[in-house]
Amino acid sequence: MAKQPMLKFVTVARDMPEKRDADQRNKDFHEIYAEYADAKAREQAARCSQCGVPYCQSHCPLHNNIPDWLRLTAEGRLKEAYELSQATNTFPEICGRICPQDRLCEGNCVIELSGHGTVTIGSVEKYITDTAWEEGWVDVPAPREERPESVGIIGAGPGGLAAADVLRRAGVQVTIYDRYDRAGGLLTYGIPGFKLEKDVVMRRIGQLEEGGVTFEMNCDVGGDVSFADLRARHDAALIATGVYKSRDLGGPGSGAAGIVRAIDYLTASNRVSFGDRVPEFESGELNAGGKRVVVIGGGDTAMDCVRTAVRQGATSVKCLYRRDRANMPGSQREVQNAEEEGVEFVWLSAPKGFAGDPVSAVKVQKMRLGAPDATGRQSPEEIEGADYDEPADLVIKALGFEPEALPALWDEPALEVTRWGTVRAEFETGRTAMPGVYAVGDIVRGASLVVWAIRDGRDAASAVLEDMSKTQAVAAE
Amino acid sequence: MTKFDAEWARAEETRRKWLAENGMYSEAEEHSSCGVGLVVSIDGTPSRKVVEAGIEALKAVWHRGAVDADGKTGDGAGIHVQIPVPFFYDQIRRTGHEPRQDQLVAVGQVFLPRTQFGAQEACRTIVETEVLRMGHTIYGWRHVPVDVTCLGEKANATRPEIEQILISNAKDIDEETFERELYVIRRRIEKAVIASGIAGFYIASLSCRSIIYKGMMLAEQVAVFYPDLMDERFKSAFAIYHQRYSTNTFPQWWLAQPFRMLAHNGEINTLKGNINWMKSHEIRMASASFGDHADDIKPIIPGGSSDSAALDAVFEVLVRAGRSAPMAKTMLVPESWSKQAKELPQAWRDMYSYCNSVMEPWDGPAALAMTDGRWVCAGLDRNGLRPMRYVVTGDGLVIAGSEAGMVPIDEATVREKGALGPGQMLAVDMKKGLLFHDREIKDKLAAALPFGEWVGRINELDEKLAVVTEKPMFTGAELRRRQIAAGYTIEELEQILAPMAEDGKEAIASMGDDTPSAVLSKTYRPLSHFFRQNFSQVTNPPIDSLREYRVMSLKTRFGNLKNVLDEDSSQTEILVLDSPFVGNAQWDELLPQFNAELGVIDCTFAPGKGALQAGLERIRAEAEDAVRSGAGHLVLTDQGVSEERIGMPMILATSAVHGHLTRKGLRTFTSLNVRSAECIDPHYFAVLIGAGATVVNAYLAEDSIADRIGRGLIDGSLTEAVARYRNAIDQGLLKIMSKMGISVISSYRGGLNFEAVGLSRAMCAEYFPGLISRISGIGVSGIQTKLEQVHARGFASGQRDILPIGGFYKARKTGESHAWGAQNMHLLQTACNTASHELWKRYSAAMQANPPIHLRDLLAIKPIGEPVPIGEVESVTAIRKRFVTPGMSLGALSPEAHKTLNVAMNRIGAKSDSGEGGEDPAHFTPEPNGDNPSAKIKQVASGRFGVTAEYLNHCEELEIKVAQGAKPGEGGQLPGMKVTDLIARLRHSTKGVTLISPPPHHDIYSIEDLAQLIYDLKQINPACKVTVKLVAQSGVGTIAAGVAKAKADVILISGHNGGTGASPATSIKYAGLPWEMGLTEAHQVLSMNQLRERITLRTDGGLRTGRDIVMAAMMGAEEYGIGTAALIAMGCIMVRQCQSNTCPVGVCTQDESLRAKFTGNADKVVNLITFYAQEVREVLAGIGARSLDEVIGRADLLTQVSRGAAHLDDLDLNPMLITVDGTATLALDRNRERNEVPDTLDAEIVRDAARFLNDGEKMQLHYAVQNTHRTVGTRVSSHIVRNFGMRNALQPNHLTVKLTGSAGQSLGAFAAPGLKLEVSGDANDYVGKGLSGGTIVVRPSMMSPLEASENTIIGNTVLYGATDGYLFAAGRAGERFGVRNSGAKVVIEGCGSNGCEYMTGGVAVILGSIGANFGAGMTGGMAYLHDPEGTSAELMNLETLVICPVAEGHWMGQLEELIERHAAETGSLKAQTLLQHWDREKHNFVQVVPKEMLDKLQYPVAVERAAVPAE
């Protein structure tokens, strides 16, 4: 009677949800993958080998119980699958869309490693939670009992929201402060809609609000409210600001017009999608339409930029990266998507400088990879004499982000930071040296993945709760 | 006496005691087994002839005993005979008295402390006082003459003073009363001596009828030591004799057999339960027979009794209370009756039903020779696991014993030759001069009392409970809270409970257990996790609960057991259920059926300091009060769990109450009915029942099933699902019981047949009396803390109502720790792929950084001295030779993986093990590149797949796999889908047909059988060493001592962590011990017994780093098995789906496309072993040692360290770390010669057959043979294989060896093509074992008047594992004929039970009647039965078979041809008659065909299409 629904990788091949054709999808900002049909999701989930040591879970920052919800999906027990998935992940449908699964769960899937093609974990995860939304299974994070303690969270990005969710469910009063007008952080303004449609983020924020989380938007900590005041208002403060300072590029001509930062570029594009008026877009400063675009960098932000540029109607889009394809930090899947959409990758190329103002070309230095160092990583070296000019009307710098100088910004010298400027916090609890102050996400780790921010947010929230109950116990004695 | 003297004996005793208290050794674990038999004159006339026959017989069973390290001290032998009155009259006269011939004379055979004269005198005074007190007179004492020259040094050192006291029946009471008084006198004496604190006193016998001469001499020396026995006046009408084979090498004279009433070959597996229940029974056994003396006979079982001695003690009480010996046997060791294939006569069933209601069977292998003075009988246990052959001679003697041919008889006048079957008896009433066969004696017994009337009052409840509709008790949020508070996980519900409710079966899993012992874990673990199931190995066999279910029973009786000694109907007012499993609604139905008051005891407590302890005291008091005020049934329940109240672990509660009631003598007045929330799996049920529960209701598990049904996940109703769940639990319980050889649950109940790892000794002593807990750990307060935590998870406010995910079976981040994590495996693989020792070091460091998982994780290594330069440490090459890849069969592994291991290990001079399942003969020649793909160790496992003479000759070492770490005590199964062409060829079976490995080796039911198999293997391969693979458990040390005495060369102690290709999940988790415990015990006990130097110790089961290796060395291991790590090096990533044939990396699959994914190679494995060796060198250098030899056995170099957790600091590992005195200078040498075994007749045959062996000339040789000539034809076959090959061109009778007489065991074992053995006479057990192409003919002596087809001519377990060849035997075979035959063709004229079990090939023609359970698990081959009455079908186990008339054509031709050949070879009258009337007789044959073969046969059989199951 008990059917063995699993281990079908032996007979069933890997099959992603249908991807819209490149020449259709590059015209809009909607997501490129279709939804799995129920039968397909079950079939693909059933390919899981139900390993004794789930490498997928080991390589998932959230340690999602992936084999378990895959099995439940294959058995048609979607609601249970959802509950299990939601139990370890605040925003599974978001992770399902934007996690670089090929470097995390799917990339380490045992049947992928042994050459059978991975289980499509991300797509199933997305399917499960999207279905849960449709079916109304996703509940508001409202507590059974209210607690008197309150926590102030700085930053409404994934880390802050994840912490807010956990704390709110435990009954803690939560206020989130954010300097933007919309919550969500990079989920809202950083990541383009073709990867993550905005209503997906907004409905989560709506639920948090409904669950009693207070959002103080357009509120700049250090400006509108001092960090010290904020601490005084709450029993605990949680720093989840993210890292917003863009790494810059020097070289001759780097100050020219037409050379923009990725964050500005992507934010503008996302605001336009929300229907906001964005003068820099209208002026063309942050609009790639009709331009030759060169994006510099090899990370996921660069991928977002090139694909956004395609959708804005750029005449050509090139991506410059100083290492080769195998050594780039961005997701291979995204590279492939970008290539399909018409982006040209120029590997082993570094910008030496720029011509013109407004910019007309990037001076490109060709590189080669040197001998591997002790860790096996190969550093790029310049090839003498191999340089040329790459014509460009818009240059987008996507070289990564660094933390802002929070102690100075907030006039809080006691806040300890590392030599990279990140906040010094305890691993797995987010506790800083300041009592009652916690920090999570990119501001601790440096620029990293959304999924890590969620993990940090959840962990820190647990630590906050633990510390609160200790305080309570002491108070009671 | 230079080396040993009395001082030695005392010192030795002290040493043993010390080791038992401080080390891993336990005296309670000693085992013994043996040869046994009797000679009796049917008409009861005493004669010299009988005594001489008994002495002769003892000389012919020497090989069933063992000799100590000193070469002369036997394990014990003795003889029980009638008192030769004239002889003793003469002795009395010598004391100066004139015997009063009108009064009965009684003789007491007394052992006195030899060297302490004061104590001697005190004993004599006690004896005399008690005799006089009873009113009898004493003639005097007689000093028994002995000849000590025949004794070994140890035996002499411990020899008692042996005297006889001669007593006259002064009160002139009748014989029966006199005997009873003598019994009371003896018990009084025994108690008085114990009270006076004198050791070394023992009364071998005290009787007016018979006397026992026994001691620690070799069997053949009994009459030498006791010259009395040679006296012409010494006459008797019976003689019961016994030769002991003991694991105990400390000579204990009193443990020699026979005992006062019986001699026993075998082992009582249920001993612990039986002894516990006797404590309750004996209180009420104050029968009229003992009256005022009732208190004198208690305790009925003296402390320190062996299983046989205990059985004897109870047997004796029953006899003294007026039962006859046959009735006492029937009560104590009944045959299986409730599920017999052919229903037993109603009168018998009534009798057994009565017995079942008063006494728990003493279950286990047993061949018994018994007497009560009037009756002399032989009997077997319900499984028939020991041989008992008998002859009735022309001159009126019955001779029965373990072997045929022990006493020479006159073949020309012999009247009958037979073998007892399971549960059968043979009885002689000497008074009436009558011989009763099994049916006759049972008819007589059953008719003697109105059993039918009595049992009419048994209330069978099953029908009433079958009609109820199940319903849950708790649902929704309440259910969820309770689940969480009871420690449930999603994993347990989904992977353990759901399969049981859906399929009625336990879930199957694979690979080994790499999680921490419960006591080491940080997570909450139910109390059941601390209990490890006991299992059988070597000294007794496990049972196959699937294919031999008819002998097993879960029949559960309730309530008031009254007095065992009463014979009336009051005992049978009882309730009976078919299983101890009770569903929720059944429970509600059950309570009103109870025939006495009910006491309900709430097993919950409110948290607080000491609350659990107080709670336990409370429930004990409540239980006692309830029973004292008349409650005949108690309910223990934890359903009162709430926010304020925590449930006690019901195992603890049940055992606390059961133990308390037993101690107070109240247990048999009540039933204990348990409701437990925590209970889900069969293991938990088993622990509850082992702790004393009568029935169990797993209400929360049932509610969880109901919840699942509510979510639409299980089809059908809750009632149906619970029925399936019950079935799974029943099967699981049977499996757990059968694992240790117990067939009936009533004997299992309350026996605590477990051992604990990490429960505090104090708690065990108080609440689990008798439970072994070598490593003391968590106690009541620790348990309470854990309970409070898990309870809070469910009931404290603010908790989310999501069940924990689990992670106990398969790794999950939030669950239990697993040694093998993704990171560790990745490091190991990368290290092996890139030969990077740096990465290996990171791997090793990561492994050591794991939270504590193994006991050794709490140990640190102490240095010997200053570190030495690593260059001075022995080389990698030298160390690598000590490594072994343990037995992993081709069948589990893919051929690629299997071969890779062989090649790799051969390259570095180490050894790989073929595993079960044979090896491709192509491997016996080197590869083109020079690699040797043949495994150096060939495994001999219970399935004997591919174990041919050729296979056995292509190796350096033969390993007998007695048990497997992952599932000790269980068999295995290779599903048809994994049986490819290659595997089918190697295993001599058919592609696509399922292959079954039985739980036991059917030629190892006890220790002397193992010695026989070792002997066989050393015959077939003249050079190889023999390894015995054991699994760590308490008592493995004593077993190892026995194995060493059986002449094994290597003993492998496997840890429970060992892997498996498929096994029930709970078996992987709950059986076997860590190797650390088994290894240290084996090393200590072998050392203590001076046997350590004879043996090479090897260990395996989770050795993961070089540090582990050094620790294993310090605990005594010289060689090390690397299984899982080697698989991981070849690409395994612990997917744990081996059982499903979908291994994604091609390591453990037979699927072609998956095998293509295999990326392993020999280099990676070589790298792996090199890393181990290199790390060993580094560790050695660090502690100042230059070689492994310097640290082997140096457990003193290990020290327990704190891992920073209180629960770990409570653990006491010191018993593992002690050193046995005087073992500092052990001379261990892995390269010494093998332990040689004595030659057999083959030495002569090989000499005489020189021209055949050298030049291939055809020869015929002729010899007389007797039963001490064992394994005839086997060494010759080795020469044939080595000279001519196994696929040779010799004629079938190229070398014909004619033998006259009774051939010993293993006649023609592994006989090769070209050899023909012809016996004129008969043969013993294991004829044609592993037959590999030779021909064996056994026919009666020419002058025998017997009708061949009615008499037994060959023994048990004939053709076990035969692969090819022919056997023709003109007569009946014993039990388990043709088991696991995969190719031999055979004609016999009848067989006992379990014929053709697990057969996978070959042809069996049986011209006479068969026993029960024929063809169980038979999946291949063909059988033809001559069945003119049409009665065979009901005796068959048709689960895998179909039967039909013999199809004309090919099959009929095959049958006729074999019968013709049988007639020609043996001259069988039966065959000739059949052939004469062939046209008529051919329709009287039944063809037996395995179902799985139907679509694979080349010729059609006469099976109707409909009979073929639709697949």
Side-chain angles (χ1 to χ4, degrees), chain A residues 46-99:
Chain A
R47 294 182 68 245
C48 171
S49 182
Q50 300 286 294
C51 299
V53 177
Y55 280 61
C56 49
Q57 181 183 53
S58 309
H59 288 86
C60 170
L62 286 164
H63 303 309
N64 285 332
N65 291 305
I66 296 166
D68 304 288
W69 45 255
L70 284 175
R71 182 174 51 77
L72 291 168
T73 306
E75 289 174 359
R77 300 160 63 183
L78 270 192
K79 185 165 187 208
E80 291 169 77
Y82 161 70
E83 283 167 358
L84 210 55
S85 163
Q86 179 82 69
T88 54
N89 186 352
T90 319
F91 308 121
E93 76 279 27
I94 295 177
C95 288
R97 285 170 164 85
I98 58 166
C99 259

Side-chain angles (χ1 to χ4, degrees), chain A residues 101-133:
Chain A
Q101 285 99 2
D102 56 344
R103 281 186 283 142
L104 300 172
C105 51
E106 295 183 12
N108 290 282
C109 170
V110 156
I111 63 171
E112 166 77 9
L113 293 176
S114 51
H116 304 271
T118 182
V119 181
T120 52
I121 298 167
S123 306
V124 174
E125 184 182 36
K126 167 173 176 271
Y127 168 76
I128 292 170
T129 320
D130 285 352
T131 309
W133 278 102

Side-chain angles (χ1 to χ4, degrees), chain B residues 1159-1170:
Chain B
T1159 58
N1161 61 43
D1163 292 332
K1164 296 182 185 179
V1165 180
V1166 169
N1167 288 341
L1168 174 78
I1169 306 295
T1170 308

Side-chain angles (χ1 to χ4, degrees), chain B residues 56-369:
Chain B
E56 276 307 306
L58 273 173
K59 290 182 182 165
V61 285
W62 60 268
H63 54 274
R64 299 184 87 94
V67 188
D68 185 55
D70 69 9
K72 259 177 120 181
T73 298
D75 282 346
I79 189 164
H80 182 185
V81 289
Q82 283 179 323
I83 292 176
V85 177
F87 174 85
F88 280 105
Y89 281 165
D90 290 348
Q91 304 308 329
I92 291 166
R93 289 189 190 101
R94 289 173 63 177
T95 63
H97 297 80
E98 186 50 37
R100 290 177 284 275
Q101 305 217 4
D102 54 332
Q103 293 175 2
L104 291 165
V105 59
V107 182
Q109 183 90 341
V110 185
F111 291 173
L112 298 164
R114 181 160 59 97
T115 48
Q116 300 143 274
F117 297 108
Q120 253 183 35
E121 210 36 56
C123 291
R124 286 198 198 93
T125 310
I126 290 170
V127 173
E128 289 170 12
T129 311
E130 293 300 339
V131 173
L132 296 174
R133 195 177 134 201
M134 193 64 91
H136 298 289
T137 56
I138 298 168
Y139 289 116
W141 291 84
R142 169 176 181 248
H143 183 84
V144 180
V146 292
D147 176 357
V148 300
T149 57
C150 66
L151 290 183
E153 289 174 328
K154 280 190 194 172
N156 205 7
T158 53
R159 174 171 60 89
E161 165 74 14
I162 302 166
E163 296 190 5
Q164 286 165 343
I165 182 161
L166 305 166
I167 301 168
S168 177
N169 176 7
K171 283 155 68 179
D172 200 23
I173 45 184
D174 65 50
E175 189 177 312
E176 213 53 55
T177 317
F178 190 32
E179 280 291 282
R180 198 177 310 128
E181 290 199 359
L182 289 169
Y183 170 66
V184 174
I185 292 171
R186 199 189 84 222
R187 297 310 317 270
R188 285 177 172 174
I189 295 170
E190 285 165 355
K191 290 179 120 178
V193 172
I194 291 170
S196 69
I198 297 170
F201 173 87
Y202 176 70
I203 301 180
S205 62
L206 176 61
S207 163
C208 63
R209 288 169 172 162
S210 61
I211 184 163
I212 296 166
Y213 285 84
K214 65 181 183 182
M216 299 301 294
M217 66 291 296
L218 299 173
E220 63 264 37
Q221 306 284 12
V222 173
V224 178
F225 183 74
Y226 290 113
D228 278 4
L229 295 172
M230 304 303 286
D231 193 295
E232 280 306 317
R233 291 165 293 178
F234 217 93
K235 293 179 183 167
S236 172
F238 75 85
I240 288 176
Y241 54 87
H242 187 275
Q243 150 87 72
R244 184 162 182 258
Y245 183 136
S246 161
T247 57
N248 185 339
T249 62
F250 181 64
Q252 277 170 305
W253 282 65
W254 75 278
L255 282 178
Q257 295 197 39
F259 291 113
R260 284 80 179 219
M261 298 245 146
L262 55 79
H264 168 222
N265 166 15
E267 177 148 335
I268 302 299
N269 297 328
T270 54
L271 185 67
K272 282 167 79 180
N274 292 131
I275 290 181
N276 276 345
W277 286 110
M278 278 311 295
K279 281 180 196 149
S280 300
H281 291 319
E282 70 185 10
I283 291 164
R284 291 205 256 180
M285 280 172 82
S287 99
S289 311
F290 296 102
D292 298 341
H293 304 315
D295 276 340
D296 292 328
I297 64 164
K298 289 186 292 194
I300 289 172
I301 302 171
S305 295
S306 65
D307 57 339
S308 310
L311 178 60
D312 180 74
V314 177
F315 191 94
E316 187 177 17
V317 174
L318 292 178
V319 167
R320 293 294 170 235
R323 305 301 218 285
S324 68
M327 190 60 207
K329 190 271 174 190
T330 304
M331 287 183 73
L332 294 171
V333 192
E335 74 182 310
S336 56
W337 57 281
S338 60
K339 283 186 285 195
Q340 281 283 7
K342 200 182 210 165
E343 192 142 294
L344 297 177
Q346 188 58 43
W348 296 20
R349 290 173 59 82
D350 291 342
M351 172 173 69
Y352 288 127
S353 180
Y354 160 80
C355 292
N356 178 59
S357 64
V358 296
M359 191 76 188
E360 309 74 27
W362 290 59
D363 193 18
L368 297 167

Side-chain angles (χ1 to χ4, degrees), chain B residues 656-733:
Chain B
V657 169
H658 172 79
H660 183 68
L661 293 180
T662 301
R663 225 170 290 166
K664 297 281 176 188
L666 298 171
R667 178 62 182 89
T668 51
F669 288 85
T670 187
S671 64
L672 279 185
N673 306 285
V674 177
R675 311 193 89 162
S676 167
E678 210 171 39
C679 178
I680 293 183
D681 60 24
H683 176 66
Y684 205 107
F685 275 88
V687 179
L688 276 176
I689 292 163
T694 308
V695 296
V696 178
N697 169 234
Y699 65 92
L700 207 60
E702 178 169 335
D703 293 353
S704 305
I705 295 173
D707 180 55
R708 224 177 147 77
I709 292 175
R711 283 182 286 142
L713 298 173
I714 301 178
D715 298 337
S717 69
L718 179 60
T719 307
E720 289 159 2
V722 168
R724 288 190 294 265
Y725 178 38
R726 170 176 172 164
N727 189 45
I729 295 297
D730 284 354
Q731 295 304 318
L733 285 172

Side-chain angles (χ1 to χ4, degrees), chain B residues 961-1264:
Chain B
K961 180 180 87 174
V962 174
Q964 181 177 344
K967 47 173 174 179
E970 287 182 63
Q973 188 162 323
L974 190 65
M977 64 173 178
K978 278 196 168 187
V979 181
T980 59
D981 275 325
L982 173 70
I983 288 174
R985 176 162 62 82
L986 301 186
R987 297 194 176 201
H988 298 257
S989 67
T990 311
K991 181 184 176 182
V993 170
T994 303
L995 300 173
I996 299 166
S997 296
H1001 287 251
H1002 282 290
D1003 55 356
I1004 312 178
Y1005 292 157
S1006 82
I1007 187 93
E1008 77 269 14
D1009 291 350
L1010 175 71
Q1012 178 62 35
L1013 178 58
I1014 292 173
Y1015 187 82
D1016 296 340
L1017 295 178
K1018 289 192 171 181
Q1019 291 298 321
I1020 189 64
N1021 186 327
C1024 76
K1025 290 188 175 179
V1026 174
T1027 302
V1028 175
K1029 175 174 180 174
L1030 303 173
V1031 170
Q1033 70 175 145
S1034 268
V1036 77
T1038 50
I1039 290 171
V1043 170
K1045 287 161 83 175
K1047 307 272 191 192
D1049 303 288
V1050 182
I1051 293 175
L1052 165 56
I1053 305 287
S1054 237
H1056 71 97
N1057 317 76
T1060 173
S1063 173
T1066 56
S1067 302
I1068 296 177
K1069 288 292 186 184
Y1070 305 119
L1073 287 189
W1075 59 257
E1076 291 97 316
M1077 292 174 71
L1079 176 64
T1080 49
E1081 184 185 330
H1083 181 73
Q1084 288 172 13
V1085 176
L1086 287 170
S1087 301
M1088 177 176 84
N1089 290 317
Q1090 280 90 43
L1091 292 166
R1092 179 66 186 85
E1093 291 172 12
R1094 284 194 193 180
I1095 285 292
T1096 299
L1097 267 184
R1098 182 183 293 163
T1099 199
D1100 67 19
L1103 296 168
R1104 303 198 180 93
T1105 63
R1107 186 168 172 274
D1108 287 352
I1109 303 292
V1110 175
M1111 286 194 166
M1114 289 176 171
M1115 295 183 203
E1118 297 158 79
E1119 297 181 344
Y1120 319 96
I1122 307 294
T1124 304
L1127 295 186
I1128 292 174
M1130 293 194 298
C1132 166
I1133 35 183
M1134 296 289 271
V1135 173
R1136 290 185 188 268
Q1137 295 287 4
C1138 317
Q1139 74 276 16
S1140 54
N1141 203 23
T1142 58
C1143 177
V1145 290
V1147 172
C1148 192
T1149 176
Q1150 302 303 324
D1151 183 308
E1152 292 273 351
S1153 60
L1154 294 171
R1155 277 163 55 192
K1157 306 282 185 196
F1158 181 68
T1159 58
N1161 61 43
D1163 292 332
K1164 296 182 185 179
V1165 180
V1166 169
N1167 288 341
L1168 174 78
I1169 306 295
T1170 308
F1171 295 147
Y1172 273 105
Q1174 184 60 28
E1175 192 184 345
V1176 167
R1177 296 182 75 223
E1178 288 162 7
V1179 175
L1180 289 179
I1183 60 168
R1186 288 176 177 78
S1187 70
L1188 266 177
D1189 278 328
E1190 286 176 47
V1191 300
I1192 287 170
R1194 293 289 308 275
D1196 58 309
L1197 295 176
L1198 295 169
T1199 175
Q1200 191 169 349
V1201 291
S1202 173
R1203 290 283 304 249
H1207 72 286
L1208 299 180
D1209 294 344
D1210 285 346
L1211 271 180
D1212 175 12
L1213 299 186
N1214 283 313
M1216 291 170 26
L1217 305 184
I1218 61 131
T1219 310
V1220 180
D1221 267 2
T1223 56
T1225 55
L1226 284 176
L1228 302 177
D1229 177 9
R1230 293 170 52 246
N1231 299 316
R1232 65 178 154 52
E1233 294 293 302
R1234 75 175 188 179
N1235 297 317
E1236 274 309 336
V1237 293
D1239 277 334
T1240 183
L1241 193 59
D1242 276 48
E1244 223 173 303
I1245 301 175
V1246 169
R1247 259 198 311 279
D1248 296 338
R1251 279 188 286 148
F1252 161 71
L1253 291 171
N1254 297 336
D1255 309 326
E1257 282 183 28
K1258 190 161 183 164
M1259 293 184 76
Q1260 195 254 44
L1261 307 171
H1262 198 142
Y1263 306 91

Side-chain angles (χ1 to χ4, degrees), chain A residues 257-296:
Chain A
I259 304 179
V260 301
R261 299 189 304 176
I263 185 71
D264 300 334
Y265 175 71
L266 291 173
T267 304
S269 172
N270 276 315
R271 281 189 183 284
V272 170
S273 294
F274 273 110
D276 295 357
R277 280 204 55 208
V278 183
E280 296 86 345
F281 181 79
E282 285 165 13
S283 73
E285 189 187 334
L286 294 176
N287 185 351
K291 292 180 179 165
R292 293 171 299 174
V293 178
V294 170
V295 177
I296 299 168

